[in-house]
Amino acid sequence: MIKEEIPKNRLVEFTQVLDVVESIVNQVRQNGDKAIIDLTKKFDSVELKDLSFSKDEIEQQASLLSDDLRRAVDVIYEQLKEFHLTLMPPEVGGGKSGVEFGIVWKPIETVGIYVPGGKQKYPSTLLMAGIPAKIAGVREIYFSTPQYDKLDPMMAYICQKLGIKQAYRIGGAQAIAAMAYGTESVHKVSKIVGPGNIYVQAAKYIVSREVGIDGIEGPTELVIIADDSADPRRVATDLLAQGEHGKSSLLVLISTSGRLISKVKELLSTDVNDFYIVEVKSVEEALKISDELSPEHLSLQVRSPRSTMKLVRNAGAITLGNTPPAMVDYGAGPDHILPTNGWSKFRGGITVLDFIKPISYTNLDNPTKELIDASIKIAKYEGFEIHGKSIGIRYE
Ligand SMILES: NC(=O)c1ccc[n+]([C@@H]2O[C@H](COP(=O)([O-])OP(=O)(O)OC[C@H]3O[C@@H](n4cnc5c(N)ncnc54)[C@H](O)[C@@H]3O)[C@@H](O)[C@H]2O)c1
Ligand SMILES: N[C@H](CO)Cc1c[nH]c[nH+]1
Ligand SMILES: [Zn+2]
């Protein structure tokens, strides 16, 4: 259905299910594997026997992937690898007042990746999380997905390429809780990343009290800003494409062209999804609405996408001009694990930076008297006499 007013708040929000998910998380925390088995029966109607895929099962499934699809994965793997390698920050250092200081980057040691799978399968998401984790040097990468029978052959092949330590057949909030707290069968990790529905994201939010998370990456969102230079068929197809993720997707067109809008409306008229389509007077006005929404994907199908991009304040990922947003989903290089629900106001998509941490180092070779005196004075001012003394005894 076409709607002409964009809702102020997201209609589907992980905050709506925090209470029910808190109870799921607690059950897994207290009862481990047994709770996972019960919850999987309750929510997915599956009698779960083995919680993880064995090495043999993964090998067997991977062998079923055709050469053609293996090559496709290999091509995308190299493309994503290049993007994340480009972003890998250097170790930096400097000095002042006789102090040498700097940063060494260390990988997070254990990471759990959630790959959604309730309605569709997402081997591409395993690549999007696994490649930056591997480049960052994460020692043990685990992953979980709600596939209760055999593992998808493409995922199995990707598991092998990434050197996944263990793969679990667990979905929803129970998978997140299991990786956060550990169970008899599931390894506890230091950080959990990955997209999913509101139950999955609510669980990540809850367990972030104890483990790192990458943010909130819930139901897909696409805002297209288009002027009269845009092609209505492409605009409509981009909106329909993200609508494939399901009814929870947020699909928005903001355009300065009434002519484009009526053509796009015509093309969308028979689809089951809701589309929010608004006409504005200028691209600046469109940007104001989009920034307020802070969408996941932002597509700038306008005459000057580069100068328009400079004016954007909030978005997870921007595609310029004729670039299909679906290429970010698959093969362009930048990650498709992107913030939703307004979280692009304060963070971006996954990069290698989500898997490394900066540790500072300090070496006082020959500090100036001025710096030492100033430090001791502030320690005394705070009432920490011994802090001051521990500095003073070295440089008197
Ligand atoms: N933002 C991103 O970066 C990004 C990327 C890819 C996909 N996505 C989104 O991920 C989502 C995938 O959702 P999905 O549902 O297909 O798969 P999912 O794997 O996220 O969730 C499926 C699980 O949800 C649990 N569940 C379902 N109903 C429940 C209920 N009533 N109570 C408790 N638990 C329940 C079940 O255990 C099930 O296994 C889509 O909305 C898609 O748009 C987002
Ligand atoms: N559009 C999704 C991010 O919201 C990513 C995706 C994966 N596969 C297809 N699309
Ligand atoms: Zn998509």
Side-chain angles (χ1 to χ4, degrees):
M1 199 194 282
I2 309 284
K3 303 193 170 180
E4 280 163 10
E5 202 174 325
I6 302 170
K8 288 253 169 308
N9 299 306
R10 299 297 194 275
L11 299 178
V12 184
E13 259 283 357
F14 73 95
T15 49
Q16 293 158 348
V17 296
L18 281 172
D19 286 350
V20 53
V21 172
E22 183 93 50
S23 148
I24 296 174
V25 167
N26 285 336
Q27 288 174 56
V28 174
R29 189 174 196 178
Q30 281 156 21
N31 300 322
D33 286 359
K34 182 175 175 330
I36 296 173
I37 291 165
D38 292 347
L39 290 160
T40 306
K41 192 165 179 199
K42 179 171 177 189
F43 294 119
D44 295 324
S45 311
V46 170
E47 294 277 357
L48 200 52
K49 289 201 175 58
D50 294 328
L51 272 59
S52 49
F53 298 97
S54 71
K55 220 168 175 260
D56 286 352
E57 277 179 284
I58 292 176
E59 237 172 76
Q60 165 66 21
Q61 287 305 103
S63 73
L64 300 179
L65 193 70
S66 69
D67 287 346
D68 191 37
L69 285 174
R70 271 167 193 261
R71 269 194 300 278
V73 170
D74 293 347
V75 168
I76 300 298
Y77 192 98
E78 291 307 314
Q79 185 75 11
L80 298 187
K81 193 169 142 192
E82 189 61 32
F83 172 73
H84 290 289
L85 276 174
T86 312
L87 299 183
M88 190 73 188
E91 293 193 346
V92 287
K96 184 171 163 58
S97 314
V99 179
E100 180 202 354
F101 46 57
I103 289 290
V104 286
W105 293 98
K106 296 286 175 181
I108 292 169
E109 296 197 315
T110 52
V111 164
I113 297 171
Y114 184 79
V115 176
K119 300 194 184 77
Q120 285 105 346
K121 58 180 178 207
Y122 288 93
S124 58
T125 299
L126 184 54
L127 286 172
M128 296 278 170
I131 290 172
K134 195 172 159 79
I135 288 171
V138 174
R139 191 164 42 83
E140 292 179 6
I141 307 175
Y142 299 85
F143 109 95
S144 194
T145 194
Q147 280 186 18
Y148 299 115
D149 189 15
K150 296 199 158 71
L151 183 60
D152 166 75
M154 189 179 280
M155 279 197 199
Y157 176 57
I158 295 169
C159 274
Q160 291 181 326
K161 275 186 84 96
L162 292 170
I164 294 287
K165 179 95 174 154
Q166 204 165 8
Y168 305 110
R169 37 163 72 85
I170 312 172
Q174 47 284 16
I176 303 300
M179 292 193 284
Y181 302 115
T183 70
E184 301 89 322
S185 307
V186 180
H187 200 280
K188 177 178 165 47
V189 298
S190 298
K191 183 164 185 174
I192 297 174
V193 302
N197 64 19
I198 51 172
Y199 302 98
V200 170
Q201 299 310 309
K204 279 168 59 187
Y205 185 75
I206 288 166
V207 303
S208 72
R209 295 184 289 223
E210 306 204 23
V211 294
I213 64 162
D214 54 346
I216 294 296
E217 297 118 0
T220 295
E221 303 172 356
L222 169 65
V223 170
I224 300 178
I225 296 180
D227 61 17
D228 61 355
S229 71
D231 174 341
R233 201 170 54 93
R234 292 178 190 172
V235 169
T237 312
D238 291 340
L239 290 166
L240 289 167
Q242 298 306 328
E244 283 187 311
H245 291 287
K247 287 280 281 174
S248 311
S249 305
L250 177 69
L251 308 166
V252 178
L253 167 62
I254 312 171
S255 177
T256 52
S257 165
R259 198 179 52 91
L260 178 101
I261 285 182
S262 46
K263 284 195 180 148
V264 172
K265 278 184 178 170
E266 223 177 279
L267 292 164
L268 299 178
S269 61
T270 55
D271 195 73
V272 293
N273 279 299
D274 288 334
F275 301 94
Y276 298 93
I277 300 186
V278 290
E279 188 173 347
V280 288
K281 295 214 161 46
S282 64
V283 169
E284 287 71 20
E285 191 184 339
L287 283 169
K288 200 162 170 263
I289 298 171
S290 173
D291 279 333
E292 196 49 48
L293 267 177
S294 302
E296 180 196 11
H297 286 274
L298 173 62
S299 164
L300 299 176
Q301 304 196 29
V302 294
R303 262 194 199 82
S304 343
R306 265 174 211 283
S307 50
T308 306
M309 177 172 71
K310 291 198 180 122
L311 304 174
V312 172
R313 287 186 288 122
N314 306 314
I318 300 174
T319 37
L320 298 182
N322 193 33
T323 310
M327 270 307 282
V328 172
D329 286 351
Y330 290 108
D335 220 278
H336 83 204
I337 303 178
L338 296 163
T340 60
N341 302 79
W343 279 50
S344 71
K345 277 198 170 77
F346 47 85
R347 73 150 289 151
I350 278 195
T351 67
V352 279
L353 297 170
D354 284 288
F355 300 100
I356 53 179
K357 52 201 177 170
I359 304 181
S360 72
Y361 67 86
T362 310
N363 184 32
L364 258 67
D365 262 347
N366 191 17
T368 61
K369 185 169 176 340
E370 186 189 30
L371 188 72
I372 294 299
D373 287 351
S375 301
I376 292 172
K377 274 182 193 152
I378 292 179
K380 282 189 177 155
Y381 181 78
E382 287 186 348
F384 291 111
E385 290 292 329
I386 306 175
H387 280 65
K389 189 173 170 199
S390 77
I391 300 169
I393 54 172
R394 289 179 163 83
Y395 301 104
E396 271 156 5

